Amino acid sequence: MSHNHLVSIESIENAKNGVLEYKFFDEIKEVNSKEPIEAFLKLTNLGEFIEVSGNVKGTLILQCDVCLEDFEYKIDFDIDEMYAKRALSESYAQETEIKDGDFITDLNGAENIDIYDLLYQSVILNLPNKKVCGINCNGKEFLKQEDQTDPRMEVFKNIKFEDKAK
């Protein structure tokens, strides 16, 4: 099954008012989801740049870090990404600094924007650092201990370092 979610720069430039609406409804195969991920996006031509903004929704199946059971995790977040059509040259490096903190993806003259890749990256970035299935997870106690010491560090406690200096 080929996931072809490429949008050509040309089609954005030729869209009415330079705005192309794009609906994504598909599986992102690297991410385990209950149903296809859904995104409503607007691709806007801004001269040297293209802005992709919109909303992403879905229900992921994550594995709890504590009890290792699978649980459902709803995602619903907005994205707002900037793409530079050509390599970010000195000539508009100044402009790019205005929107400080924004990450600008360099298309380097590519003819398409890969929506699939954009959404994959965005979903991954929006996953929680600690995946816990719920407040009542039976691994609660484990979590409390882990705050003090990482269990993986236990092995180092009993290592005797020989004093070579003698």
Side-chain angles (χ1 to χ4, degrees):
M1 199 162 115
S2 90
H3 291 279
N4 188 0
H5 290 285
L6 298 176
V7 177
S8 78
I9 306 297
E10 200 181 346
S11 65
I12 302 166
E13 292 173 338
N14 295 335
K16 188 173 185 280
N17 303 327
V19 177
L20 186 75
E21 298 198 336
Y22 190 92
K23 185 177 191 296
F24 178 98
F25 188 72
D26 203 349
E27 305 286 338
I28 295 181
K29 60 179 184 296
E30 299 84 349
V31 177
N32 190 1
S33 61
K34 194 176 173 185
E35 68 264 329
I37 304 284
E38 192 171 9
F40 292 96
L41 304 173
K42 254 171 52 177
L43 294 87
T44 309
N45 183 33
L46 303 170
E48 290 291 342
F49 297 94
I50 287 174
E51 182 179 25
V52 180
S53 59
N55 178 263
V56 184
K57 284 186 175 62
T59 304
L60 307 181
I61 309 291
L62 300 182
Q63 190 188 48
C64 177
D65 288 341
V66 180
C67 66
L68 305 183
E69 292 292 319
D70 285 350
F71 67 101
E72 288 183 15
Y73 181 80
K74 282 204 180 320
I75 51 166
D76 184 346
F77 60 88
D78 292 330
I79 52 178
D80 191 353
E81 289 286 332
M82 292 291 270
Y83 288 87
K85 291 179 190 174
R86 281 166 280 284
L88 287 172
S89 65
E90 288 306 310
S91 60
Y92 53 83
Q94 282 72 38
E95 285 177 61
T96 56
E97 284 163 21
I98 297 168
K99 296 191 70 173
D100 194 36
D102 277 10
F103 181 70
I104 296 184
T105 305
D106 203 332
L107 289 171
N108 253 324
E111 287 167 22
N112 301 300
I113 288 182
D114 188 338
I115 300 293
Y116 183 88
D117 188 58
L118 166 64
L119 291 176
Y120 164 68
Q121 307 276 351
S122 304
V123 167
I124 295 299
L125 287 173
N126 278 278
L127 292 178
N129 289 334
K130 197 150 191 55
K131 304 176 187 70
V132 181
C133 61
I135 331 173
N136 302 319
C137 172
N138 58 14
K140 273 206 310 257
E141 295 311 306
F142 170 77
L143 272 179
K144 281 202 198 98
Q145 298 162 7
E146 204 187 35
D147 289 341
Q148 289 103 39
T149 59
D150 186 323
R152 288 165 300 190
M153 291 304 197
E154 292 294 322
V155 290
F156 296 115
K157 280 191 175 162
N158 305 320
I159 295 178
K160 303 270 186 286
F161 290 100
E162 289 178 37
D163 196 347
K164 292 260 182 347
K166 283 172 192 157

